Amino acid sequence: MRLITHYILIVLTGLLLGGCSISRYVPANESLYVGGSVKVVPDSAARTQVSGLEDQLEGLLRPYPNKTLFGFPYKVWLYYVIGEPKREKGFRSWFRKKLGEPPVYASQRVVVTNAQIMEAYLANSGYFRSTAEGKLVEKKNRTVEAQYTAYVKPRYFVNDINFVVHDSSEFSKNLLATKEKTFLRVNDPYRFDVIETERQRIDRALKTKGYYYFSPDYLIIEVDSTIGDHKVNLFLQPKLTTPQTALKQYYINDIYVYTDYDALTPDTLPTQARQRRGLYIVDQQNSFKSRIFDDAIGFQSGMRYNSEMHDISLSRLTNLRNFKFVKNRFELVTGADSALLNVYYYLTPLQKKSLRGELSGVTKSNNLAGTQLSLTWSNRNTFRGAEQLRISSNLGLDFQVGGGSRNLGNDFVRFNNQAELSFPRFLIPFFKYDPVANQALPKTVLTAAYETLRQKGLYTQTSARTQWGYVWQRNSEVEHSLTPFGINLIRPTNITEAFVDSIFNSRNPQDILRFIRITENRLILESLYTISYHPTPKPYTRHRFLLNGGINLAGNLAGLLVRNGDQESGVRGKILDIPYEQFARFDGEVRYYLDLTPKMRLANRFIGGLGIPYGNSLALPQFKQYFAGGSTGIRAFRARTLGPGTYHADSVTRAIFGNNSFGDIRLEVNTELRFDITSIIEGAAFVDAGNVWNYRYDINSFYPPETVFSKDFYKQVAIGGGLGLRLDFTYLVLRLDLATPFRKPWYTNPNRQEQRNPWVFDEINLRSKAWRQENLVLNIGIAYPF
């Protein structure tokens, strides 16, 4: 301990007093490299063409200088001050490797290399005959900076694009057909990286036509820059040295599948395999039904090779989640002029059964903390058809850790049991589905769950539900999910006398209505459909967007089977003496991302939700309603504290029910500027806006009339913003967002004793502890909010 304390004191003293002492550690005839800068000097005709070019060229400079803190290379100082370790695994060695950093010295050879790299980059970007030079400039305290100058000539642009063929063969016809979707565009600047991408695109297109042995290296693009006016003509053609095997279309012969492949064991002879529709399946343990490979592998004997079907087959086998490794190879069938390929799939299975346990902790913005214990048992091949069976149990505890006195209902105990069985195919009577072009096999998913939620001091709520649904995707961009049948029964039990007393002692008459709604049995018979569209961004684009949508219908079938209730009289239609819900819910989400620079991105999101209760329902069930606030929503407000409309629960209601504000309609907009600070640290500045509203008002509702969505909804929007810090460890992103309200819509509530301007900038007082506790909200999360 004394040794550790000694080194900590050294570090602190060095950081405080050693800012200028780094130079005495630098060896003679060496200087510490502190980075480089680039100055672009364009020709008069190129002045309008070099915007952002300095940043691009500076991004090419190597090596990277040592990390600094306020200009001080603290990691190098730590590396020097700890001294040369005497032992490879001692504390000093660990300290030097983990906290220190070897110095980066200046080198004239590196300057010359960087200048050559910049010249090559300029030429590849269309700035032909441009030059670059660099020099080392001495700074203070034995440090050196590299300064570069790039003399940039006018940029060349594409004038014409020509696909050249040498004959009228089938290959030539297919090559010419690829021009329709070329990445090369007239009047675009010449860029060598686009040409490389174009060659790869053509290679992929030809491989979908059966040209298995073709390669991008067999294509050449000649550039004619002699036509004048800084224009170039491009001529794309196959090389004359291209082998005939690359110009031939190939067809599938036999397909072999090894379900328990061991790389150390030679291939089992096909005579020891079972055959199904041209597939030879080597499965010595008889672990899998043959049908699963017939569905997953898109190739059939006699069909032409197609690289897309090649990728789809591998993707399907991987998505079965039964195999640790999926490998394949193609082998040319021997013969004088053979155009046949044998296909081999080598599958290494995962362990069939597994048991997994997780223990986690969580803190929330509503002053609750908790823990959760989860156990999951899995069977990856339940009926020998790659079916997935998962049975899980979860026990969770949430308890109040701050925010004042401990009120009723602030501690929760959750217990959940769930079983899910999925089949890698559609299970629909009298329906046959051919997934020939789908990226993944469709799934039929059967789910059953039973959950209890005990709100300590109030009541216990139980939920029993089951669903039968389907998931499928035509390609990697679009995924569909359909649940034609779902049933959910909710029952409250163990309602305490203290809960009842708190309700009848409340000054708010709406709390009694809220109590009645919470403590009644409910039945939901529903159908759901969702679709997500995540298009693959085009090469070199700065734009990306995603779309998600869904429809949830409940009670239609129940309304046909039994008589609906009468809302005016308060009598509700029932099934087995349980009121059933009737509603339609529509959801939509749009996300748009714009890369402003390589290190800066603008992220935007819009969320819209509409719930329409009808027939037997006055409002959506609470767990189907929307809420605002929280770490992934309007971050300046705690979860479930906003709305609906200008409503704001008083301290009595919050003491009884906690943060419990919901609505039938949701509108939310988020925008966030993300920028890199270091390789793993990212900053953000964000603004969030939105709210929730009710669809209608009724005398039996526990929300007042001002909570209903109207033409003046924009006057009831809550707005907040703040700053964020994200730590990107590649495998996860740790997020910290500190936000504060800009606009509080409840300030305009007509029932409020003192109405005032909802914009609250004038209230900001960082010195006030009370203001900070109420208005500064720290959100801690994993991954980005959107």
Side-chain angles (χ1 to χ4, degrees):
M1 181 62 68
R2 292 179 61 187
L3 181 62
I4 296 176
T5 303
H6 172 71
Y7 282 119
I8 291 176
L9 289 175
I10 290 178
V11 171
L12 293 176
T13 304
L15 289 175
L16 292 173
L17 304 176
C20 298
S21 62
I22 190 71
S23 60
R24 64 190 181 94
Y25 294 105
V26 178
N29 302 321
E30 294 285 2
S31 297
L32 194 67
Y33 175 69
V34 295
S37 61
V38 178
K39 179 181 179 182
V40 171
V41 181
D43 276 8
S44 57
R47 289 176 182 172
T48 61
Q49 302 172 349
V50 296
S51 176
L53 188 57
E54 287 184 353
D55 291 338
Q56 297 172 28
L57 294 177
E58 287 182 358
L60 302 174
L61 300 181
R62 298 295 184 274
Y64 294 116
N66 293 111
K67 294 181 175 64
T68 61
L69 182 64
F70 304 114
F72 176 58
Y74 65 99
K75 281 183 169 286
V76 176
W77 185 86
L78 291 172
Y79 181 88
Y80 279 131
V81 78
I82 195 64
E84 191 70 31
K86 296 180 179 179
R87 293 180 300 168
E88 184 178 350
K89 295 185 178 181
F91 174 77
R92 182 177 293 183
S93 178
W94 172 89
F95 189 100
R96 202 179 208 200
K97 291 178 180 178
K98 294 296 183 180
L99 302 181
E101 186 177 71
V104 178
Y105 297 125
S107 168
Q108 184 62 41
R109 178 180 59 83
V110 172
V111 172
V112 174
T113 302
N114 278 333
Q116 294 172 346
I117 291 173
M118 285 191 287
E119 288 181 354
Y121 178 84
L122 290 169
N124 290 336
S125 299
Y127 301 99
F128 299 144
R129 295 185 294 278
S130 297
T131 60
E133 62 182 18
K135 61 182 179 179
L136 295 174
V137 178
E138 290 282 347
K139 299 292 184 180
K140 61 181 181 180
N141 300 325
R142 303 283 300 281
T143 60
V144 166
E145 179 187 41
Q147 296 181 355
Y148 300 88
T149 303
Y151 301 95
V152 180
K153 300 293 184 179
R155 198 171 196 179
Y156 281 70
F157 291 79
V158 176
N159 178 67
D160 192 21
I161 304 159
N162 300 276
F163 278 45
V164 181
V165 296
H166 306 298
D167 51 42
S168 59
S169 64
E170 188 69 18
F171 172 82
S172 296
K173 294 177 182 177
N174 286 316
L175 176 60
L176 289 175
T178 66
K179 184 178 181 180
E180 181 181 355
K181 297 183 179 180
T182 180
F183 291 155
L184 303 174
R185 297 285 186 270
V186 173
N187 296 325
D188 277 4
Y190 170 87
R191 291 176 58 181
F192 181 74
D193 54 352
V194 177
I195 289 177
E196 284 295 289
T197 304
E198 172 69 1
R199 296 205 306 170
Q200 295 168 7
R201 182 197 67 83
I202 294 173
D203 172 64
R204 290 193 300 269
L206 291 174
K207 280 187 166 62
T208 64
K209 301 295 184 180
Y211 298 95
Y212 174 75
Y213 287 104
F214 195 80
S215 166
D217 293 335
Y218 296 145
L219 291 172
I220 186 172
I221 297 183
E222 297 179 344
V223 181
D224 181 6
S225 60
T226 64
I227 60 175
D229 196 27
H230 300 102
K231 300 280 188 177
V232 296
N233 289 336
L234 304 179
F235 300 89
L236 183 147
Q237 58 186 316
K239 295 179 180 178
L240 297 177
T241 56
T242 303
Q244 287 300 310
T245 54
L247 305 178
K248 184 188 298 185
Q249 292 174 302
Y250 289 85
Y251 294 80
I252 303 301
N253 186 44
D254 291 328
I255 305 165
Y256 303 99
V257 180
Y258 298 86
T259 66
D260 192 6
Y261 174 67
D262 186 344
L264 301 179
T265 303
D267 294 347
T268 307
L269 295 175
T271 55
Q272 298 175 269
R274 65 180 187 265
Q275 185 178 0
R276 175 184 170 90
R277 298 174 61 181
L279 271 73
Y280 294 92
I281 302 171
V282 181
D283 185 6
Q284 295 177 336
Q285 303 297 325
N286 198 27
S287 300
F288 296 91
K289 295 178 181 179
S290 301
R291 173 182 173 176
I292 188 61
F293 303 110
D294 188 24
D295 290 343
I297 297 174
F299 287 124
Q300 295 181 5
S301 180
M303 73 179 292
R304 190 173 64 191
Y305 170 79
N306 185 321
S307 59
E308 290 183 353
M309 189 58 66
H310 177 188
D311 296 338
I312 287 172
S313 299
L314 290 176
S315 175
R316 289 176 182 173
L317 289 169
T318 301
N319 289 333
L320 288 176
R321 296 185 296 172
N322 268 250
F323 304 105
K324 185 189 304 184
F325 302 112
V326 176
K327 303 178 183 178
N328 92 308
R329 68 181 178 90
F330 293 81
E331 183 180 272
L332 182 64
V333 176
T334 56
D337 192 26
S338 174
L340 298 176
L341 298 171
N342 285 336
V343 191
Y344 299 85
Y345 291 93
Y346 303 103
L347 313 177
T348 304
L350 287 163
Q351 187 175 356
K352 181 179 179 181
K353 299 177 182 179
S354 64
L355 179 65
R356 178 179 179 179
E358 292 184 5
L359 179 64
S360 60
V362 63
T363 61
K364 303 179 181 180
S365 61
N366 55 0
N367 298 317
L368 292 180
T371 184
Q372 177 169 293
L373 174 64
S374 302
L375 292 175
T376 303
W377 180 82
S378 301
N379 187 327
R380 290 188 174 87
N381 191 24
T382 310
F383 306 118
R384 296 178 47 243
E387 300 87 0
Q388 302 280 329
L389 174 62
R390 296 176 67 250
I391 300 176
S392 60
S393 294
N394 301 279
L395 176 63
L397 305 174
D398 289 342
F399 45 88
Q400 184 179 339
V401 294
S405 61
R406 296 177 63 83
N407 299 309
L408 280 176
N410 280 356
D411 293 343
F412 299 85
V413 179
R414 292 169 282 105
F415 183 67
N416 175 275
N417 287 309
Q418 178 170 306
E420 179 183 285
L421 178 61
S422 66
F423 302 83
R425 66 190 69 90
F426 277 141
L427 295 182
I428 305 177
F430 313 110
F431 176 78
K432 181 175 176 58
Y433 179 74
D434 183 11
V436 62
N438 285 26
Q439 190 74 22
L441 292 176
K443 293 181 181 180
T444 300
V445 183
L446 175 62
T447 304
Y450 181 81
E451 181 177 4
T452 63
L453 172 64
R454 180 191 174 201
Q455 200 164 352
K456 187 176 179 181
L458 300 183
Y459 65 98
T460 300
Q461 180 175 275
T462 64
S463 171
R465 62 182 176 88
T466 184
Q467 290 182 333
W468 184 283
Y470 305 97
V471 179
W472 72 99
Q473 55 186 93
R474 186 69 178 177
N475 51 48
S476 60
E477 297 183 341
V478 182
E479 180 174 284
H480 306 264
S481 175
L482 173 65
T483 302
F485 173 77
I487 182 170
N488 193 353
L489 174 62
I490 300 98
R491 287 180 178 271
T493 60
N494 302 326
I495 300 171
T496 66
E497 293 184 5
F499 186 22
V500 176
D501 291 341
S502 66
I503 294 297
F504 285 97
N505 290 331
S506 172
R507 300 187 304 270
N508 302 318
Q510 289 86 3
D511 287 348
I512 297 178
L513 299 174
R514 189 189 299 266
F515 170 78
I516 295 173
R517 183 63 170 161
I518 288 177
T519 56
E520 68 177 353
N521 296 334
R522 283 166 290 162
L523 178 66
I524 299 178
L525 301 173
E526 62 180 343
S527 300
L528 304 96
Y529 171 74
T530 62
I531 182 173
S532 62
Y533 176 49
H534 299 176
T536 302
K538 295 181 179 180
Y540 312 109
T541 183
R542 298 187 299 124
H543 309 273
R544 186 165 67 93
F545 72 94
L546 301 87
L547 300 175
N548 297 292
I551 302 175
N552 185 188
L553 303 176
N556 291 331
L557 180 60
L560 296 176
L561 297 177
V562 299
R563 183 178 178 182
N564 287 343
D566 183 358
Q567 291 186 4
E568 293 184 2
S569 63
V571 178
R572 305 183 68 190
K574 297 181 179 181
I575 296 178
L576 299 177
D577 203 34
I578 302 174
Y580 61 88
E581 303 287 351
Q582 286 186 294
F583 63 84
R585 183 176 129 158
F586 306 90
D587 295 278
E589 178 183 8
V590 181
R591 301 184 186 185
Y592 171 68
Y593 303 91
L594 172 63
D595 293 331
L596 301 175
T597 71
K599 295 184 178 182
M600 185 176 295
R601 167 176 288 186
L602 185 64
N604 306 274
R605 178 179 66 176
F606 168 77
I607 298 177
L610 170 62
I612 304 176
Y614 64 91
N616 217 35
S617 298
L618 296 175
L620 269 64
Q622 182 171 292
F623 54 90
K624 289 290 185 178
Q625 287 184 306
Y626 305 100
F627 68 87
S631 64
T632 60
I634 307 175
R635 284 160 282 185
F637 302 87
R638 293 174 175 83
R640 297 176 293 278
T641 61
L642 267 177
T646 60
Y647 173 81
H648 190 61
D650 60 22
S651 59
V652 175
T653 300
R654 290 199 301 271
I656 299 174
F657 298 101
N659 295 334
N660 202 32
S661 293
F662 296 87
D664 302 326
I665 299 173
R666 178 189 185 188
L667 291 175
E668 185 174 317
V669 177
N670 316 90
T671 187
E672 183 172 280
L673 182 65
R674 300 169 182 170
F675 48 90
D676 292 343
I677 298 175
T678 69
S679 58
I680 65 170
I681 301 177
E682 182 182 277
F686 57 86
V687 176
D688 307 315
N691 206 338
V692 295
W693 294 265
N694 282 322
Y695 182 75
R696 67 163 63 95
Y697 171 71
D698 186 89
I699 59 173
N700 295 316
S701 173
F702 44 78
Y703 287 116
E706 61 267 16
T707 64
V708 176
F709 187 85
S710 68
K711 63 180 181 180
D712 294 329
F713 74 93
Y714 61 92
K715 298 178 181 179
Q716 302 174 347
V717 170
I719 303 176
L723 301 174
L725 190 67
R726 290 82 192 275
L727 304 179
D728 188 351
F729 299 107
T730 304
Y731 52 89
L732 67 85
V733 175
L734 177 63
R735 175 168 55 90
L736 304 174
D737 289 331
L738 183 64
T740 188
F742 297 160
R743 191 178 193 275
K744 297 180 178 180
W746 61 86
Y747 277 12
T748 63
N749 190 312
N751 296 323
R752 182 182 171 90
Q753 293 182 354
E754 180 185 355
Q755 295 189 34
R756 54 155 299 169
N757 189 338
W759 294 97
V760 294
F761 292 108
D762 58 334
E763 290 185 356
I764 296 177
N765 185 2
L766 294 174
R767 296 180 179 180
S768 170
K769 181 179 179 180
W771 182 90
R772 295 196 303 269
Q773 288 179 338
E774 181 182 351
N775 295 280
L776 287 183
V777 180
L778 177 63
N779 299 277
I780 303 176
I782 302 296
Y784 293 103
F786 56 91

